[in-house]
Amino acid sequence: MTEHKLEILLDVAETGNMSETGRKFYISPSSVSQIITGMEKQYGILLFDRSKQPLTLTPSGLRLCSYARQILSLYREMESSLGAGQGRSFRLGSSFSIASTFISPCILEFQKEAGSEIEIDLTINHHDKLQQQLLSYELDLAAMPLPANENPLLTSIPLFRDPVSLCCHVSHPFANRSCVQLSELVDQKITVPPRSSNIREAFEQVIRKNGVVLEQVFTSNGQAAIKDLVLRNQTISLLSLILTQENIRQGQLAMVKLEGFNYEREFGFLYRKDTNISPQLERFIRFCLEKRGQIVDLKYLL
Protein backbone atom coordinates (compact mmCIF):
# COMPACT_ATOMS: atom_id res chain seq x y z
CA MET A 1 0.00 0.00 0.00
CA THR A 2 1.55 3.30 -1.09
CA GLU A 3 0.80 6.93 -0.32
CA HIS A 4 -0.31 7.40 -3.93
CA LYS A 5 -2.85 4.56 -3.70
CA LEU A 6 -4.26 5.87 -0.44
CA GLU A 7 -4.71 9.32 -1.99
CA ILE A 8 -6.55 7.76 -4.93
CA LEU A 9 -8.80 5.79 -2.58
CA LEU A 10 -9.73 8.94 -0.66
CA ASP A 11 -10.39 10.89 -3.84
CA VAL A 12 -12.73 8.21 -5.21
CA ALA A 13 -14.49 8.21 -1.84
CA GLU A 14 -14.95 11.98 -2.09
CA THR A 15 -16.00 12.21 -5.75
CA GLY A 16 -17.76 8.87 -6.14
CA ASN A 17 -16.43 8.83 -9.69
CA MET A 18 -13.36 6.94 -10.92
CA SER A 19 -13.17 8.93 -14.16
CA GLU A 20 -12.98 12.19 -12.23
CA THR A 21 -10.26 10.79 -9.97
CA GLY A 22 -8.37 9.57 -13.03
CA ARG A 23 -8.39 13.06 -14.54
CA LYS A 24 -7.11 14.55 -11.29
CA PHE A 25 -4.22 12.06 -11.02
CA TYR A 26 -3.55 11.92 -14.78
CA ILE A 27 -4.30 8.20 -15.06
CA SER A 28 -7.04 6.30 -16.87
CA PRO A 29 -10.30 5.28 -15.16
CA SER A 30 -9.30 1.64 -15.69
CA SER A 31 -6.06 2.26 -13.75
CA VAL A 32 -8.07 3.75 -10.88
CA SER A 33 -10.37 0.72 -10.97
CA GLN A 34 -7.38 -1.64 -10.88
CA ILE A 35 -5.95 0.14 -7.82
CA ILE A 36 -9.27 -0.08 -5.95
CA THR A 37 -9.77 -3.71 -6.99
CA GLY A 38 -6.23 -4.52 -5.86
CA MET A 39 -6.98 -3.13 -2.39
CA GLU A 40 -10.19 -5.15 -2.22
CA LYS A 41 -8.34 -8.35 -3.14
CA GLN A 42 -5.51 -7.59 -0.70
CA TYR A 43 -7.88 -7.30 2.28
CA GLY A 44 -10.69 -9.53 1.05
CA ILE A 45 -13.30 -6.79 1.38
CA LEU A 46 -15.57 -4.70 -0.83
CA LEU A 47 -14.76 -0.98 -0.60
CA PHE A 48 -17.47 0.53 -2.83
CA ASP A 49 -21.02 -0.29 -3.77
CA ARG A 50 -20.70 -0.20 -7.55
CA SER A 51 -24.44 -0.64 -8.13
CA LYS A 52 -24.98 3.03 -7.29
CA GLN A 53 -23.84 6.22 -8.96
CA PRO A 54 -22.02 8.04 -7.57
CA LEU A 55 -20.07 5.23 -5.93
CA THR A 56 -20.71 4.88 -2.20
CA LEU A 57 -18.43 3.43 0.44
CA THR A 58 -19.29 0.18 2.18
CA PRO A 59 -18.76 -0.08 5.96
CA SER A 60 -15.38 -1.69 5.26
CA GLY A 61 -14.56 1.13 2.86
CA LEU A 62 -15.40 3.71 5.50
CA ARG A 63 -13.03 2.03 7.96
CA LEU A 64 -10.19 1.84 5.45
CA CYS A 65 -10.65 5.51 4.51
CA SER A 66 -10.47 6.47 8.18
CA TYR A 67 -7.17 4.61 8.50
CA ALA A 68 -5.93 6.09 5.22
CA ARG A 69 -6.47 9.66 6.44
CA GLN A 70 -4.61 8.95 9.67
CA ILE A 71 -1.75 7.23 7.83
CA LEU A 72 -1.38 10.10 5.35
CA SER A 73 -1.55 12.67 8.12
CA LEU A 74 1.19 10.90 10.10
CA TYR A 75 3.26 10.44 6.95
CA ARG A 76 3.08 14.14 6.09
CA GLU A 77 3.83 15.05 9.68
CA MET A 78 6.91 12.81 9.54
CA GLU A 79 8.00 14.33 6.24
CA SER A 80 7.53 17.81 7.63
CA SER A 81 9.32 17.07 10.89
CA LEU A 82 12.23 14.98 9.60
CA GLY A 83 12.55 16.16 6.02
CA ALA A 84 13.98 19.32 4.53
CA GLY A 85 11.20 21.44 5.99
CA GLN A 86 12.01 20.34 9.58
CA GLY A 87 8.44 20.88 10.75
CA ARG A 88 8.08 24.23 9.00
CA SER A 89 4.63 23.71 7.51
CA PHE A 90 1.11 23.19 8.77
CA ARG A 91 -2.46 23.17 7.46
CA LEU A 92 -4.69 25.93 8.79
CA GLY A 93 -8.42 26.42 8.31
CA SER A 94 -10.46 29.58 8.85
CA SER A 95 -14.14 30.42 8.73
CA PHE A 96 -15.16 33.13 6.26
CA SER A 97 -16.05 35.51 9.10
CA ILE A 98 -12.44 36.12 10.21
CA ALA A 99 -10.35 34.96 7.25
CA SER A 100 -9.67 38.40 5.78
CA THR A 101 -10.06 40.47 8.94
CA PHE A 102 -7.83 38.49 11.30
CA ILE A 103 -6.30 35.21 10.11
CA SER A 104 -4.78 36.42 6.81
CA PRO A 105 -3.14 39.49 8.43
CA CYS A 106 -1.83 37.22 11.21
CA ILE A 107 -0.28 34.87 8.67
CA LEU A 108 1.48 37.73 6.86
CA GLU A 109 2.85 39.22 10.08
CA PHE A 110 3.84 35.81 11.46
CA GLN A 111 5.76 34.87 8.32
CA LYS A 112 7.58 38.20 8.36
CA GLU A 113 8.62 37.59 11.94
CA ALA A 114 9.28 33.85 11.74
CA GLY A 115 10.66 33.71 8.22
CA SER A 116 9.08 33.05 4.84
CA GLU A 117 10.39 29.47 4.86
CA ILE A 118 7.47 28.53 7.13
CA GLU A 119 4.66 27.34 4.87
CA ILE A 120 1.03 27.73 5.94
CA ASP A 121 -1.56 26.02 3.77
CA LEU A 122 -4.75 28.06 4.38
CA THR A 123 -8.24 26.68 3.72
CA ILE A 124 -11.26 29.01 4.03
CA ASN A 125 -14.62 27.34 4.52
CA HIS A 126 -17.81 27.23 6.58
CA HIS A 127 -17.22 26.21 10.19
CA ASP A 128 -19.11 22.90 9.87
CA LYS A 129 -16.94 21.89 6.91
CA LEU A 130 -13.79 22.89 8.80
CA GLN A 131 -14.77 20.59 11.65
CA GLN A 132 -15.19 17.73 9.19
CA GLN A 133 -11.74 18.45 7.77
CA LEU A 134 -10.24 18.42 11.26
CA LEU A 135 -11.88 15.10 12.04
CA SER A 136 -10.61 13.58 8.79
CA TYR A 137 -7.03 14.79 9.43
CA GLU A 138 -7.14 17.21 6.50
CA LEU A 139 -6.38 20.20 8.76
CA ASP A 140 -4.09 20.64 11.76
CA LEU A 141 -5.86 23.69 13.18
CA ALA A 142 -8.93 25.79 12.40
CA ALA A 143 -10.04 29.27 13.51
CA MET A 144 -13.81 29.59 13.80
CA PRO A 145 -16.72 30.74 15.97
CA LEU A 146 -17.07 29.00 19.34
CA PRO A 147 -18.66 27.02 20.75
CA ALA A 148 -18.43 24.66 17.81
CA ASN A 149 -20.61 21.57 17.65
CA GLU A 150 -19.45 19.46 20.55
CA ASN A 151 -17.31 16.51 19.52
CA PRO A 152 -15.27 14.46 22.00
CA LEU A 153 -12.41 14.23 19.49
CA LEU A 154 -11.97 18.02 19.26
CA THR A 155 -10.77 20.64 21.70
CA SER A 156 -10.56 24.43 21.54
CA ILE A 157 -8.45 27.42 22.57
CA PRO A 158 -10.41 30.68 23.06
CA LEU A 159 -9.00 33.49 20.93
CA PHE A 160 -11.15 36.62 21.28
CA ARG A 161 -14.67 37.96 21.67
CA ASP A 162 -16.19 40.05 18.90
CA PRO A 163 -19.03 42.41 19.96
CA VAL A 164 -21.87 43.12 17.55
CA SER A 165 -23.50 46.57 17.55
CA LEU A 166 -25.68 48.83 15.45
CA CYS A 167 -23.59 50.16 12.57
CA CYS A 168 -24.29 53.13 10.32
CA HIS A 169 -22.56 55.50 7.90
CA VAL A 170 -20.84 58.48 9.57
CA SER A 171 -23.31 60.85 7.87
CA HIS A 172 -26.31 59.00 9.30
CA PRO A 173 -28.24 60.79 12.10
CA PHE A 174 -27.42 57.93 14.50
CA ALA A 175 -23.64 58.30 14.02
CA ASN A 176 -23.08 60.80 16.83
CA ARG A 177 -25.40 59.09 19.29
CA SER A 178 -24.20 57.06 22.28
CA CYS A 179 -27.32 54.87 22.29
CA VAL A 180 -30.31 54.27 20.01
CA GLN A 181 -33.70 53.16 21.31
CA LEU A 182 -35.38 50.16 19.67
CA SER A 183 -38.45 52.27 18.86
CA GLU A 184 -36.26 54.56 16.72
CA LEU A 185 -35.65 51.72 14.26
CA VAL A 186 -39.30 51.65 13.17
CA ASP A 187 -38.87 54.12 10.31
CA GLN A 188 -35.32 53.02 9.43
CA LYS A 189 -34.20 50.70 6.66
CA ILE A 190 -32.27 47.92 8.40
CA THR A 191 -30.57 44.96 6.74
CA VAL A 192 -30.00 41.76 8.69
CA PRO A 193 -28.34 38.38 8.00
CA PRO A 194 -30.40 35.30 6.95
CA ARG A 195 -32.60 33.54 9.52
CA SER A 196 -29.93 30.89 10.07
CA SER A 197 -27.67 33.58 11.58
CA ASN A 198 -27.21 33.72 15.35
CA ILE A 199 -27.00 37.52 15.12
CA ARG A 200 -30.42 37.72 13.51
CA GLU A 201 -31.92 35.29 16.01
CA ALA A 202 -30.62 37.38 18.94
CA PHE A 203 -31.91 40.60 17.33
CA GLU A 204 -35.38 39.19 16.67
CA GLN A 205 -35.64 37.97 20.27
CA VAL A 206 -35.00 41.51 21.52
CA ILE A 207 -37.50 42.97 19.04
CA ARG A 208 -40.24 40.51 20.02
CA LYS A 209 -39.56 40.94 23.73
CA ASN A 210 -40.03 44.70 23.46
CA GLY A 211 -43.03 44.53 21.12
CA VAL A 212 -41.36 46.56 18.36
CA VAL A 213 -42.61 46.08 14.79
CA LEU A 214 -40.15 47.06 12.06
CA GLU A 215 -41.47 48.07 8.66
CA GLN A 216 -38.29 48.04 6.54
CA VAL A 217 -36.30 44.89 7.28
CA PHE A 218 -34.19 43.47 4.46
CA THR A 219 -32.04 40.35 4.29
CA SER A 220 -28.60 39.94 2.74
CA ASN A 221 -26.19 37.01 2.78
CA GLY A 222 -22.92 37.64 4.58
CA GLN A 223 -21.77 40.47 6.81
CA ALA A 224 -19.29 41.71 4.20
CA ALA A 225 -22.11 42.31 1.70
CA ILE A 226 -24.16 44.09 4.36
CA LYS A 227 -21.18 46.26 5.29
CA ASP A 228 -20.88 47.40 1.66
CA LEU A 229 -24.50 48.62 1.79
CA VAL A 230 -23.84 50.48 5.04
CA LEU A 231 -20.73 52.09 3.51
CA ARG A 232 -22.97 53.44 0.72
CA ASN A 233 -25.35 54.80 3.39
CA GLN A 234 -28.16 52.67 1.95
CA THR A 235 -29.00 50.91 5.20
CA ILE A 236 -28.08 50.41 8.85
CA SER A 237 -27.29 47.01 10.29
CA LEU A 238 -25.89 44.93 13.13
CA LEU A 239 -22.23 44.28 12.38
CA SER A 240 -19.27 42.93 14.28
CA LEU A 241 -16.40 45.06 15.50
CA ILE A 242 -13.67 43.01 13.83
CA LEU A 243 -15.38 43.44 10.46
CA THR A 244 -15.80 47.21 10.77
CA GLN A 245 -12.88 48.40 12.92
CA GLU A 246 -10.74 49.52 9.97
CA ASN A 247 -13.66 51.49 8.48
CA ILE A 248 -14.28 53.08 11.87
CA ARG A 249 -10.62 54.13 12.10
CA GLN A 250 -10.88 55.65 8.63
CA GLY A 251 -13.94 57.68 9.64
CA GLN A 252 -16.34 55.84 7.31
CA LEU A 253 -18.58 53.99 9.76
CA ALA A 254 -19.86 54.45 13.31
CA MET A 255 -20.85 51.84 15.89
CA VAL A 256 -23.70 52.75 18.25
CA LYS A 257 -25.12 50.88 21.23
CA LEU A 258 -28.64 49.55 20.59
CA GLU A 259 -30.93 49.52 23.61
CA GLY A 260 -31.43 46.01 24.98
CA PHE A 261 -29.17 44.33 22.42
CA ASN A 262 -26.04 42.78 23.91
CA TYR A 263 -24.46 40.18 21.67
CA GLU A 264 -20.93 39.05 20.98
CA ARG A 265 -19.34 36.14 19.17
CA GLU A 266 -16.44 34.15 20.55
CA PHE A 267 -13.74 32.93 18.19
CA GLY A 268 -11.07 30.37 18.87
CA PHE A 269 -8.83 27.66 17.51
CA LEU A 270 -10.14 24.12 17.17
CA TYR A 271 -8.01 21.00 16.71
CA ARG A 272 -8.10 17.25 17.24
CA LYS A 273 -7.06 16.08 20.68
CA ASP A 274 -4.69 13.55 19.12
CA THR A 275 -2.99 16.16 16.92
CA ASN A 276 0.75 16.43 17.43
CA ILE A 277 1.21 20.19 17.83
CA SER A 278 4.50 21.04 16.13
CA PRO A 279 6.74 23.81 17.53
CA GLN A 280 5.88 26.05 14.56
CA LEU A 281 2.14 25.49 14.97
CA GLU A 282 2.37 26.25 18.68
CA ARG A 283 4.38 29.35 17.83
CA PHE A 284 1.64 30.52 15.45
CA ILE A 285 -1.08 29.94 18.06
CA ARG A 286 0.91 31.92 20.61
CA PHE A 287 1.48 34.70 18.07
CA CYS A 288 -2.27 35.04 17.40
CA LEU A 289 -3.13 35.00 21.11
CA GLU A 290 -0.57 37.69 21.88
CA LYS A 291 -1.82 39.78 18.96
CA ARG A 292 -5.20 39.86 20.70
CA GLY A 293 -3.55 40.78 24.01
CA GLN A 294 -3.86 37.32 25.53
CA ILE A 295 -0.60 36.24 27.17
CA VAL A 296 -1.10 32.64 28.20
CA ASP A 297 0.94 29.60 29.12
CA LEU A 298 0.02 27.20 26.33
CA LYS A 299 1.22 24.14 28.23
CA TYR A 300 -2.09 24.25 30.10
CA LEU A 301 -4.05 24.31 26.85
CA LEU A 302 -2.19 22.09 24.39
Side-chain angles (χ1 to χ4, degrees):
M1 187 74 69
T2 65
E3 177 190 8
H4 182 64
K5 289 181 179 179
L6 291 176
E7 288 176 339
I8 287 174
L9 167 66
L10 292 177
D11 196 79
V12 174
E14 181 179 348
T15 64
N17 189 299
M18 292 188 184
S19 295
E20 188 172 334
T21 297
R23 285 193 294 271
K24 180 176 179 179
F25 287 87
Y26 299 99
I27 58 177
S28 66
S30 61
S31 296
V32 175
S33 179
Q34 288 173 10
I35 290 171
I36 299 300
T37 301
M39 292 182 185
E40 291 175 327
K41 289 181 179 179
Q42 180 177 353
Y43 295 108
I45 57 176
L46 188 66
L47 296 175
F48 292 94
D49 182 352
R50 291 171 172 78
S51 67
K52 300 177 181 178
Q53 290 294 331
L55 300 175
T56 57
L57 287 165
T58 64
S60 295
L62 286 168
R63 285 198 300 274
L64 183 56
C65 283
S66 177
Y67 283 121
R69 292 187 185 98
Q70 295 180 56
I71 291 168
L72 288 174
S73 178
L74 288 171
Y75 176 79
R76 288 161 184 160
E77 182 181 313
M78 178 192 70
E79 288 284 291
S80 176
S81 178
L82 301 178
Q86 298 183 2
R88 292 185 174 273
S89 66
F90 55 85
R91 300 162 300 169
L92 174 67
S94 173
S95 61
F96 289 102
S97 47
I98 58 170
S100 61
T101 55
F102 182 72
I103 291 300
S104 292
C106 276
I107 290 174
L108 291 174
E109 292 180 33
F110 176 74
Q111 289 183 319
K112 284 181 181 179
E113 178 183 295
S116 58
E117 70 275 9
I118 296 178
E119 296 182 6
I120 301 176
D121 183 9
L122 177 63
T123 297
I124 302 173
N125 218 322
H126 294 287
H127 60 87
D128 53 348
K129 179 63 175 177
L130 293 174
Q131 287 190 70
Q132 293 174 16
Q133 291 176 297
L134 286 169
L135 291 169
S136 61
Y137 296 93
E138 297 172 63
L139 292 174
D140 301 307
L141 183 75
M144 66 178 71
L146 299 178
N149 294 332
E150 292 186 9
N151 188 299
L153 297 176
L154 301 176
T155 190
S156 62
I157 299 174
L159 187 53
F160 63 87
R161 292 184 177 276
D162 182 29
V164 176
S165 301
L166 186 66
C167 183
C168 63
H169 192 270
V170 289
S171 64
H172 192 279
F174 288 165
N176 295 319
R177 300 273 298 277
S178 59
C179 182
V180 171
Q181 304 298 310
L182 287 169
S183 58
E184 295 180 86
L185 299 182
V186 172
D187 59 352
Q188 295 290 323
K189 178 180 177 181
I190 183 166
T191 303
V192 295
R195 292 192 180 277
S196 58
S197 165
N198 291 332
I199 295 176
R200 176 162 178 171
E201 181 180 348
F203 176 62
E204 290 184 341
Q205 286 179 359
V206 172
I207 292 297
R208 287 194 299 268
K209 180 180 178 180
N210 289 272
V212 177
V213 179
L214 302 181
E215 300 293 337
Q216 301 184 72
V217 179
F218 300 87
T219 300
S220 180
N221 288 320
Q223 287 214 328
I226 296 175
K227 186 182 79 168
D228 287 341
L229 294 173
V230 179
L231 282 167
R232 299 190 195 108
N233 202 18
Q234 295 178 357
T235 188
I236 60 174
S237 187
L238 297 163
L239 295 175
S240 72
L241 179 60
I242 195 168
L243 179 68
T244 57
Q245 58 188 0
E246 186 60 32
N247 302 101
I248 294 171
R249 278 197 290 265
Q250 294 176 7
Q252 299 170 320
L253 297 177
M255 298 292 272
V256 185
K257 179 176 174 57
L258 180 62
E259 174 201 25
F261 182 79
N262 297 292
Y263 183 82
E264 62 180 11
R265 302 181 298 176
E266 183 177 18
F267 288 91
F269 287 123
L270 205 66
Y271 62 97
R272 282 188 65 109
K273 291 180 180 178
D274 60 359
T275 295
N276 182 17
I277 302 294
S278 68
Q280 296 301 341
L281 184 54
E282 180 178 344
R283 185 178 174 185
F284 177 75
I285 295 172
R286 190 185 303 277
F287 178 87
C288 293
L289 289 170
E290 292 178 353
K291 184 175 176 63
R292 298 301 302 186
Q294 299 187 44
I295 311 301
V296 297
D297 188 347
L298 289 183
K299 70 182 180 182
Y300 295 110
L301 297 174
L302 298 175

